[in-house]
Structure formats: C-alpha cells, structure tokens
Amino acid sequence: MTVTQTRPLSATEAIETRRSIRNFVQEPLDQNDLREILRLASLAPSAWNAQTWRFAVVQDPQLKERLQEAAYGQGQITNAPAVIVVYSDMEDTLQTVEETAHPGMGEQGRTGQRQTFDRVFGAQEEAQRGQWGLAQANIAFGFLMVAARGLGYDTVPMLGFDPAKVREILGLPAHVQFAGLLPVGKRAEEGFPHHRHSVDRIAKFY
C-alpha cells in the first residue's frame, strides 16, 4: 500500500529518505508533478550559468522497451512510469549562449557572455568542451533526484547503458554526453537503508 504524501519534504528529509528504487507502483506520473521536478532540477547552479543540461522524458512504453535494451535489459526502465534521460548539449549551449546571460546585466551582459564562451571554448575540441558541459549536467542530475524525492517520488540513477544506442533511440546528435538515466515513480518497495562512510572517513578538515 502506498502512502499519499501531503506536503513537500524538506531538503534534509528528501536526502535522508531517498533510496535507489527499482520496483515502482504501476500508475502514470502526475504530469504537473513531473514538470515541477524538472523545473526544480533546472535551478541547479552551473559555471557562467551555462545550463548545459537537457532532459529527455520518456513515458511511451515502446520507447521504454527500446531504452531497456540499450540498458542491457535492466528491468527498472520499463517498470518505472517515466525515465528521464539527463544529457549535456554543449554545442547547443554555445550556439545560444546569449540566452544564459542574466537580464539584469542588459545587452552588455549578453555580449560579455558570448565573448567569454567564444574565448574559453572556441578553440577546444568538441569532446573537450563536451566534458566541461557534462560536469555541469551532473550537478542537475543530483538536483533531479532530490527534487523528485521531495515531491514524494523515487528514482534510481543509472550509468549502465550504451550511449550510442540511447542517442539513436532518442534522435540525439552524436556530440551530446550523458549524465545518466533516471527511472522515476512511486516506490513499490522500501529499498535498502543507507550504508555510507562516516564523515570522518571521507573528509579532511584544514
């Protein structure tokens, strides 16, 4: 039996109750909730406000079956009502970089944003600047999981898939790079509790 969540969770609650869930309640996602999860994830920070992340939201059953094949048969792809493919498109970012300049900075800000990106990335190879863009998308990937949990949904981050096949299935250009696949839905299992290193094990204080 699922418990209806009556309020958004705090950031602390969302992080502490997040689990990697592979078995989901078989019901469609509320589309307003789905769009809100994406909106919240889009508030993630990025260097120079580049916002290189893009979201491909897959809910079509046939497409999910094809994604499952690209993910080496992992069942959570078709078990979840939606799968969010998080990828970085640095080439689109470069072509439309003026859009990322804050309106409060005016035309000077738009010009400065273009000059900065052309100077920093213009001479780089596509793959090199693509890696920079992917680092920004990875931040949004983390935000996406917390946002989903905060609204009462569950996820499991996936890195086990064939990128070339996913590009082909979704009709994405060859240069995009993937942060991961994220099945989303309501949990039909509790999952394992957290088992993590202590802060003293992973942190050094200077």
Side-chain angles (χ1 to χ4, degrees):
M1 185 179 73
T2 59
V3 177
T4 301
Q5 184 173 315
T6 58
R7 63 171 180 84
L9 301 178
S10 69
T12 298
E13 290 171 328
I15 292 169
E16 290 185 339
T17 63
R18 191 211 62 80
R19 301 286 186 269
S20 289
I21 299 297
R22 294 171 176 81
N23 188 22
F24 298 91
V25 174
Q26 297 304 294
E27 62 182 25
L29 257 66
D30 182 296
Q31 296 301 294
N32 290 328
D33 286 350
L34 179 57
R35 296 184 76 88
E36 178 66 0
I37 289 167
L38 296 170
R39 186 190 72 82
L40 291 170
S42 76
L43 298 177
S46 56
W48 289 310
N49 199 36
Q51 304 171 67
T52 62
W53 48 75
R54 303 291 183 267
F55 306 118
V57 184
V58 181
Q59 299 179 88
D60 178 80
Q62 292 182 333
L63 269 184
K64 286 195 295 179
E65 287 180 3
R66 294 180 65 192
L67 275 183
Q68 184 178 31
E69 292 177 6
Y72 313 117
Q74 296 182 77
Q76 58 265 36
I77 293 287
T78 52
N79 188 264
V83 178
I84 303 174
V85 181
V86 183
Y87 64 97
S88 172
D89 192 337
M90 189 62 181
E91 299 311 298
D92 180 54
T93 298
L94 289 176
Q95 290 172 16
T96 60
V97 71
E98 288 87 355
E99 295 176 5
T100 64
H102 195 282
M105 299 174 69
E107 191 59 35
Q108 183 177 1
R110 289 170 58 86
T111 301
Q113 190 83 327
R114 167 58 63 191
Q115 291 173 342
T116 295
F117 276 73
D118 285 351
R119 182 182 72 252
V120 174
F121 300 108
Q124 290 184 1
E125 296 290 333
E126 189 177 88
Q128 182 182 2
R129 61 186 179 233
Q131 278 295 308
W132 184 91
L134 179 60
Q136 315 307 313
N138 285 331
I139 301 172
F141 193 60
F143 268 56
L144 192 62
M145 286 184 278
V146 176
R149 184 66 201 128
L151 291 181
Y153 294 91
D154 296 284
T155 60
V156 55
M158 297 178 62
L159 296 177
F161 57 90
D162 184 327
K165 288 183 178 179
V166 174
R167 289 189 190 96
E168 179 184 356
I169 290 166
L170 299 179
L172 299 174
H175 63 258
V176 306
Q177 301 200 31
F178 295 100
L181 311 184
L182 194 69
V184 182
K186 298 278 183 127
R187 67 178 66 178
E189 62 184 9
E190 285 306 307
F192 288 106
H194 295 301
H195 174 65
R196 299 291 191 270
H197 289 305
S198 68
V199 170
D200 289 337
R201 171 72 173 80
I202 61 173
K204 292 183 179 181
F205 297 89
Y206 295 89

